[in-house]
Amino acid sequence: MPAYRIEIADRLTHHFRVTMTLKAPAAEQALSLPVWIPGSYLVREFARHLSEFKAHQGAREVQLQQTDKSRWIAPCSGNATLQVSYRVYAFDTSVRAAFLDTDRGFFNGTGLCLRAEGHEATRHQIELAGLPRDWDVATAMPVLAGRARVYEAADYDELVDHPFELGAFWRGAFEARGVSHEFVVSGVPPAFDGERLLADAKAICEVQIALWHGRGAKVRPPFERYVFLLHTVEEGRGGLEHRASTALLAPRRSLPRSGMGAPTDAYVDLLGLISHEYFHAWNVKRMRPSEFARFDYGRENYTELLWFFEGFTSYYDDLMLLRCGAIDAPRYLGLLAKTINGVLATPGRFVQSVARSSFDAWIKLYRPDENSPNASVSYYAKGALVGLALDLSLRQLGSSLDAILRTLWRATEGGPLHEAQVLQAVEEVAGRAAARELGQWVHGTQDPPLQRLLEGAGVSVQHEPTPLAAGLGLRLSEGPVSGVQVKSVLVDSPAARAGVSAGDEILAVDGWRIRRLDEALQWSGKDQPLELLLVRDQRLRSAIVVPDARSPLRQQWRLGLEASPSAQALTRRRAWLGC
């Protein structure tokens, strides 16, 4: 049984010390560290943070032989216990790796725990050592009975699926459908309203459990305990799902404050993140792509199904906020319109399907560049719109996407899922044509008929002018001098036709100094040509941008509740939005 002693070696230099003990090693015992972490589809090369290897069998030193970037062979003698120690540099504030400083520690097993090949299916233990006296520990990994700060997992997969939060943090708890849920928050400000966070998180959890399993009194989620690990910072956002926990990163301003009243946009965003990651406890951690039935930690693991597991989860995350009462229908429609407008402003949706986006996640979604909006589409965002279109289509037939998810959960018994099973479930409810249409949305590059479907559900769609930059095909960021720098130029846009390039800094428009591009509207009409003074590679140049009134980039959607919908549309809307 592999056992790991994880010690706080040096908080000032951000180092853990890990000692792995392995009984009965093989004669040529292979040890390896994952190159990626499930749920985040990028090869991250965690082994680059390991150093100072030492290995022994009793008094005998074992010379480790490195065979590739993240794999070592220990030539062992007999069955004597092998002990391997090494240092791990931990200064990554994201939810994917490891972090250690004087105030806090955090780690995922994929970045710290070598995999003893051939022993993956046996029980694994983690012992924490060297923690400061005032530090606490939060994790969903079960504590080993009678052992303080010793934790045990059934196998290696479970070991690396339980992140650890270390430090002095706020802790609260609630019960949802008879299951204990714990919430820890590090970096809390003085006015933090923990009770409100717990109440809203509980409401989210309960509606999600009901979605997957129904509302019976005996209904329980597929875990015995769940832990939310939230780290708050000045700027940053992220989440990573695990089988009985989630690691979350959010701006400190997103926390609820005492006396806050109506939820702020930042707090709603945090609740959406909580909702998204909790939904994954069913949709990707248990019911998962068939290609993920067993993980290969040494290389990319490909699937075309992330439009379902991430996209449909993205559709439901904000919808769950509406269902639990955290937001109202107009606010939900505003969030939905934001997603729609983001996709409509991405020309890459005509180039890449969401199935291909899923497969290419390893080289495209997690490695965006200035051309990404023109060449790719997010399986999160467009996948959410595919989920919306499918849900509204099913509701026209008296069913819903809720029913499809429950059907698939029962059919897979919360296990591996093939795309053919999704299409079959849709076909059984809505017919072969509906399943074929879903396949076209997923593998083709056309837009789902969202306007028709939304209007059929009693939601009005209005078209409004976009801001100046969006209408010209520009995505901007803060520049070093003017404050306006070109991040991306959309293909076939007025800015692209004028020769504006990513990296250009815009100093002036029509001879006037600007700090924001929209300032140009003070002296120039929206349809008038604009002369941009640019800096590129330290040289000044100008470009004449001619707005195009016919460009689809000039309009964005605004959604609202139709005042006088038909009886059928009102029935669908009430079933979908509750109003």
PDB file of all heavy atoms in Angstrom, residues 492-509:
ATOM      1  N   ASP A 492     -13.071  39.145 -41.196  1.00  0.00           N
ATOM      2  CA  ASP A 492     -14.069  39.782 -42.060  1.00  0.00           C
ATOM      3  C   ASP A 492     -14.807  40.914 -41.357  1.00  0.00           C
ATOM      4  O   ASP A 492     -15.994  41.152 -41.600  1.00  0.00           O
ATOM      5  CB  ASP A 492     -15.074  38.739 -42.574  1.00  0.00           C
ATOM      6  CG  ASP A 492     -15.867  39.254 -43.775  1.00  0.00           C
ATOM      7  OD1 ASP A 492     -15.318  40.085 -44.527  1.00  0.00           O
ATOM      8  OD2 ASP A 492     -17.036  38.863 -43.936  1.00  0.00           O
ATOM      9  N   SER A 493     -14.119  41.626 -40.495  1.00  0.00           N
ATOM     10  CA  SER A 493     -14.703  42.762 -39.788  1.00  0.00           C
ATOM     11  C   SER A 493     -14.130  44.059 -40.352  1.00  0.00           C
ATOM     12  O   SER A 493     -13.112  44.050 -41.053  1.00  0.00           O
ATOM     13  CB  SER A 493     -14.378  42.671 -38.296  1.00  0.00           C
ATOM     14  OG  SER A 493     -12.977  42.833 -38.082  1.00  0.00           O
ATOM     15  N   PRO A 494     -14.765  45.199 -40.059  1.00  0.00           N
ATOM     16  CA  PRO A 494     -14.193  46.474 -40.517  1.00  0.00           C
ATOM     17  C   PRO A 494     -12.754  46.674 -40.069  1.00  0.00           C
ATOM     18  O   PRO A 494     -11.918  47.168 -40.840  1.00  0.00           O
ATOM     19  CB  PRO A 494     -15.135  47.506 -39.890  1.00  0.00           C
ATOM     20  CG  PRO A 494     -16.454  46.802 -39.797  1.00  0.00           C
ATOM     21  CD  PRO A 494     -16.098  45.388 -39.443  1.00  0.00           C
ATOM     22  N   ALA A 495     -12.428  46.297 -38.837  1.00  0.00           N
ATOM     23  CA  ALA A 495     -11.058  46.467 -38.349  1.00  0.00           C
ATOM     24  C   ALA A 495     -10.091  45.576 -39.104  1.00  0.00           C
ATOM     25  O   ALA A 495      -8.960  45.987 -39.427  1.00  0.00           O
ATOM     26  CB  ALA A 495     -11.001  46.158 -36.857  1.00  0.00           C
ATOM     27  N   ALA A 496     -10.510  44.345 -39.420  1.00  0.00           N
ATOM     28  CA  ALA A 496      -9.641  43.443 -40.174  1.00  0.00           C
ATOM     29  C   ALA A 496      -9.401  43.981 -41.580  1.00  0.00           C
ATOM     30  O   ALA A 496      -8.263  43.938 -42.090  1.00  0.00           O
ATOM     31  CB  ALA A 496     -10.260  42.051 -40.232  1.00  0.00           C
ATOM     32  N   ARG A 497     -10.438  44.510 -42.217  1.00  0.00           N
ATOM     33  CA  ARG A 497     -10.289  45.047 -43.571  1.00  0.00           C
ATOM     34  C   ARG A 497      -9.400  46.289 -43.600  1.00  0.00           C
ATOM     35  O   ARG A 497      -8.788  46.609 -44.622  1.00  0.00           O
ATOM     36  CB  ARG A 497     -11.668  45.352 -44.158  1.00  0.00           C
ATOM     37  CG  ARG A 497     -12.473  44.086 -44.480  1.00  0.00           C
ATOM     38  CD  ARG A 497     -13.703  44.403 -45.305  1.00  0.00           C
ATOM     39  NE  ARG A 497     -14.725  45.073 -44.525  1.00  0.00           N
ATOM     40  CZ  ARG A 497     -15.686  44.456 -43.843  1.00  0.00           C
ATOM     41  NH1 ARG A 497     -15.738  43.119 -43.850  1.00  0.00           N
ATOM     42  NH2 ARG A 497     -16.598  45.135 -43.178  1.00  0.00           N
ATOM     43  N   ALA A 498      -9.319  46.993 -42.459  1.00  0.00           N
ATOM     44  CA  ALA A 498      -8.475  48.186 -42.386  1.00  0.00           C
ATOM     45  C   ALA A 498      -7.021  47.861 -42.052  1.00  0.00           C
ATOM     46  O   ALA A 498      -6.179  48.757 -42.035  1.00  0.00           O
ATOM     47  CB  ALA A 498      -9.044  49.152 -41.358  1.00  0.00           C
ATOM     48  N   GLY A 499      -6.739  46.600 -41.749  1.00  0.00           N
ATOM     49  CA  GLY A 499      -5.370  46.204 -41.452  1.00  0.00           C
ATOM     50  C   GLY A 499      -4.966  46.347 -40.007  1.00  0.00           C
ATOM     51  O   GLY A 499      -3.781  46.268 -39.677  1.00  0.00           O
ATOM     52  N   VAL A 500      -5.932  46.553 -39.107  1.00  0.00           N
ATOM     53  CA  VAL A 500      -5.614  46.584 -37.682  1.00  0.00           C
ATOM     54  C   VAL A 500      -5.199  45.179 -37.253  1.00  0.00           C
ATOM     55  O   VAL A 500      -5.780  44.175 -37.704  1.00  0.00           O
ATOM     56  CB  VAL A 500      -6.822  47.077 -36.864  1.00  0.00           C
ATOM     57  CG1 VAL A 500      -6.489  47.124 -35.379  1.00  0.00           C
ATOM     58  CG2 VAL A 500      -7.273  48.448 -37.348  1.00  0.00           C
ATOM     59  N   SER A 501      -4.227  45.097 -36.375  1.00  0.00           N
ATOM     60  CA  SER A 501      -3.680  43.798 -35.983  1.00  0.00           C
ATOM     61  C   SER A 501      -3.672  43.645 -34.467  1.00  0.00           C
ATOM     62  O   SER A 501      -3.588  44.636 -33.722  1.00  0.00           O
ATOM     63  CB  SER A 501      -2.250  43.657 -36.516  1.00  0.00           C
ATOM     64  OG  SER A 501      -1.680  42.424 -36.124  1.00  0.00           O
ATOM     65  N   ALA A 502      -3.767  42.405 -34.034  1.00  0.00           N
ATOM     66  CA  ALA A 502      -3.621  42.123 -32.598  1.00  0.00           C
ATOM     67  C   ALA A 502      -2.270  42.631 -32.120  1.00  0.00           C
ATOM     68  O   ALA A 502      -1.251  42.485 -32.805  1.00  0.00           O
ATOM     69  CB  ALA A 502      -3.739  40.627 -32.339  1.00  0.00           C
ATOM     70  N   GLY A 503      -2.260  43.263 -30.954  1.00  0.00           N
ATOM     71  CA  GLY A 503      -1.046  43.848 -30.413  1.00  0.00           C
ATOM     72  C   GLY A 503      -0.932  45.328 -30.668  1.00  0.00           C
ATOM     73  O   GLY A 503      -0.150  46.023 -29.996  1.00  0.00           O
ATOM     74  N   ASP A 504      -1.679  45.861 -31.645  1.00  0.00           N
ATOM     75  CA  ASP A 504      -1.657  47.303 -31.901  1.00  0.00           C
ATOM     76  C   ASP A 504      -2.217  48.053 -30.686  1.00  0.00           C
ATOM     77  O   ASP A 504      -3.183  47.612 -30.069  1.00  0.00           O
ATOM     78  CB  ASP A 504      -2.508  47.659 -33.118  1.00  0.00           C
ATOM     79  CG  ASP A 504      -1.873  47.205 -34.429  1.00  0.00           C
ATOM     80  OD1 ASP A 504      -0.701  46.792 -34.403  1.00  0.00           O
ATOM     81  OD2 ASP A 504      -2.569  47.274 -35.462  1.00  0.00           O
ATOM     82  N   GLU A 505      -1.605  49.191 -30.394  1.00  0.00           N
ATOM     83  CA  GLU A 505      -2.148  50.049 -29.361  1.00  0.00           C
ATOM     84  C   GLU A 505      -2.765  51.273 -30.037  1.00  0.00           C
ATOM     85  O   GLU A 505      -2.150  51.894 -30.901  1.00  0.00           O
ATOM     86  CB  GLU A 505      -1.061  50.482 -28.382  1.00  0.00           C
ATOM     87  CG  GLU A 505      -1.633  51.250 -27.198  1.00  0.00           C
ATOM     88  CD  GLU A 505      -0.607  51.490 -26.105  1.00  0.00           C
ATOM     89  OE1 GLU A 505       0.579  51.202 -26.336  1.00  0.00           O
ATOM     90  OE2 GLU A 505      -0.989  51.965 -25.031  1.00  0.00           O
ATOM     91  N   ILE A 506      -4.007  51.585 -29.649  1.00  0.00           N
ATOM     92  CA  ILE A 506      -4.720  52.709 -30.249  1.00  0.00           C
ATOM     93  C   ILE A 506      -4.474  53.945 -29.388  1.00  0.00           C
ATOM     94  O   ILE A 506      -4.890  54.007 -28.224  1.00  0.00           O
ATOM     95  CB  ILE A 506      -6.229  52.411 -30.352  1.00  0.00           C
ATOM     96  CG1 ILE A 506      -6.465  51.113 -31.132  1.00  0.00           C
ATOM     97  CG2 ILE A 506      -6.952  53.573 -31.023  1.00  0.00           C
ATOM     98  CD1 ILE A 506      -7.914  50.672 -31.179  1.00  0.00           C
ATOM     99  N   LEU A 507      -3.792  54.932 -29.980  1.00  0.00           N
ATOM    100  CA  LEU A 507      -3.470  56.162 -29.254  1.00  0.00           C
ATOM    101  C   LEU A 507      -4.538  57.234 -29.430  1.00  0.00           C
ATOM    102  O   LEU A 507      -4.853  57.966 -28.489  1.00  0.00           O
ATOM    103  CB  LEU A 507      -2.126  56.717 -29.728  1.00  0.00           C
ATOM    104  CG  LEU A 507      -0.890  55.842 -29.520  1.00  0.00           C
ATOM    105  CD1 LEU A 507       0.343  56.567 -30.053  1.00  0.00           C
ATOM    106  CD2 LEU A 507      -0.711  55.483 -28.057  1.00  0.00           C
ATOM    107  N   ALA A 508      -5.082  57.345 -30.636  1.00  0.00           N
ATOM    108  CA  ALA A 508      -6.008  58.434 -30.925  1.00  0.00           C
ATOM    109  C   ALA A 508      -6.970  58.022 -32.029  1.00  0.00           C
ATOM    110  O   ALA A 508      -6.669  57.123 -32.828  1.00  0.00           O
ATOM    111  CB  ALA A 508      -5.248  59.696 -31.334  1.00  0.00           C
ATOM    112  N   VAL A 509      -8.113  58.689 -32.071  1.00  0.00           N
ATOM    113  CA  VAL A 509      -9.111  58.494 -33.113  1.00  0.00           C
ATOM    114  C   VAL A 509      -9.441  59.858 -33.692  1.00  0.00           C
ATOM    115  O   VAL A 509      -9.804  60.785 -32.953  1.00  0.00           O
ATOM    116  CB  VAL A 509     -10.386  57.823 -32.566  1.00  0.00           C
ATOM    117  CG1 VAL A 509     -11.427  57.677 -33.671  1.00  0.00           C
ATOM    118  CG2 VAL A 509     -10.064  56.465 -31.958  1.00  0.00           C
TER     119      VAL A 509
END
